[in-house]
Amino acid sequence: MPNFLPINTILVPQGAEYKAVCRGLSGVTGSIPTVVAIPVGMKPLLKYLQQGEFLAPSRVLIMGICGSLSDRYTVGDVVLYQDCVYQGKRLECDRTFTTQLHSDISEKASLVKSMTSDRVIWSAAEKRRLGEMAADVVDMEGFTALEFFNAAGVTVAMLRVVSDNCQHDIPDLTPAINSDGSLNPFPLAIGMLRQPLAATRLIRGSLTALKVLEQVTNRLFSSNK
C-alpha cells in the first residue's frame, strides 16, 4: 500500500542536508516528491522563493537540521514544528498535515515550538535564554518559508533533526554564509579552527543528524510498514 501523504515538494537547505534527503529517497519506489535545494538564511530564501523558480505546489514539506534550545531535545531527535516565531510574530504550520506526519513517524518525532533566526545561534547561554522565551528549537529558514507559502495558500509542514544541543557552544559560522545563502569554505574553515572543540562537537552532531534525516526521509516515503 503506498504512503498516504500527497507531498508534492520537499524544500531542504542546500549542501549536506539536501544530499541526505536525496539519499533517503534513492531507494524508494513509486512516486516521490520533487526535492528542491534552498539557500541558507532568511533573506536569501525569501529572494529565491520570490523568483518563483519552481511551480507552486499544494503541499510542501520543509526538512533539514536545527539547533536545540531545550534540555528536552538532543542530537539526533526528530522534531515536527507546530509553529514558528520570529521577532514576536508567530505562524502555525498546517495542523492536519503535521498530524498526518506525526502519526506516520510518531514513535520517532516530537511536536515542538520553533523560532527562526537571521544568524547562527552559537552560544549555549543564548540558546538557553531563547529556550526560556518560548521555543524548543531554532533554524534559519522556517518563518520565511511559512510566511511566503501561507500567503500563497500552500499547505506547509516542517520536519527537522536536531544537530546541536543547548549545553555546548558551536562555532559562530554566520560570517561563512554568503549573501546568496551558500556557504563560503574559507570563513567556514577559519570559524572551525578558532574553536576546535566546538567544531568537533558540531561536526559529530551534524553527521548524526544527517544520518537520521536520511533514515526518516526513507521511512516517510517508503511503502507503509
Side-chain angles (χ1 to χ4, degrees), residues 26-221:
S26 62
V28 174
T29 53
S31 65
I32 58 170
T34 305
V35 186
V36 179
I38 58 172
V40 174
M42 300 183 73
K43 284 181 181 171
L45 176 59
L46 181 60
K47 187 177 176 185
Y48 174 81
L49 293 173
Q50 286 172 339
Q51 286 167 354
E53 290 186 8
F54 58 99
L55 292 171
S58 58
R59 269 190 155 191
V60 167
L61 176 61
I62 294 162
M63 301 185 78
I65 59 179
C66 62
S68 174
L69 302 175
S70 163
D71 290 328
R72 291 192 301 278
Y73 305 104
T74 189
V75 173
D77 285 354
V78 180
V79 294
L80 273 166
Y81 290 9
Q82 292 173 303
D83 56 27
C84 197
V85 173
Y86 175 68
Q87 292 186 347
K89 289 191 285 185
R90 178 177 164 274
L91 295 173
E92 284 198 0
C93 295
D94 185 82
R95 287 189 186 183
T96 306
F97 190 5
T98 303
T99 302
Q100 282 185 342
L101 287 165
H102 192 239
S103 68
D104 206 44
I105 48 169
S106 57
E107 79 286 1
K108 299 285 183 185
S110 302
L111 291 167
V112 298
K113 296 183 178 301
S114 75
M115 67 166 288
T116 298
S117 171
D118 53 11
R119 59 189 172 81
V120 175
I121 305 298
W122 60 271
S123 86
E126 186 175 14
K127 288 186 209 177
R128 286 195 294 271
R129 183 176 62 77
L130 290 170
E132 288 164 7
M133 288 165 56
D136 302 307
V137 298
V138 60
D139 70 38
M140 295 181 69
E141 300 84 25
F143 188 89
T144 300
L146 258 185
E147 193 168 46
F148 179 85
F149 286 119
N150 281 0
V154 175
T155 301
V156 179
M158 300 201 214
L159 188 159
R160 292 196 179 235
V161 181
V162 175
S163 63
D164 56 279
N165 62 32
C166 67
Q167 286 94 15
H168 301 101
D169 292 352
I170 59 170
D172 181 8
L173 301 181
T174 305
I177 301 171
N178 294 325
S179 59
D180 66 353
S182 62
L183 287 174
N184 190 327
F186 185 67
L188 184 66
I190 296 293
M192 292 288 205
L193 289 169
R194 280 195 181 128
Q195 295 167 281
L197 266 178
T200 303
R201 199 177 289 118
L202 176 65
I203 292 166
R204 197 180 296 135
S206 296
L207 290 172
T208 298
L210 291 166
K211 189 67 188 169
V212 173
L213 183 62
E214 178 185 337
Q215 291 165 348
V216 77
T217 302
N218 186 268
R219 193 160 63 238
L220 203 51
F221 292 96

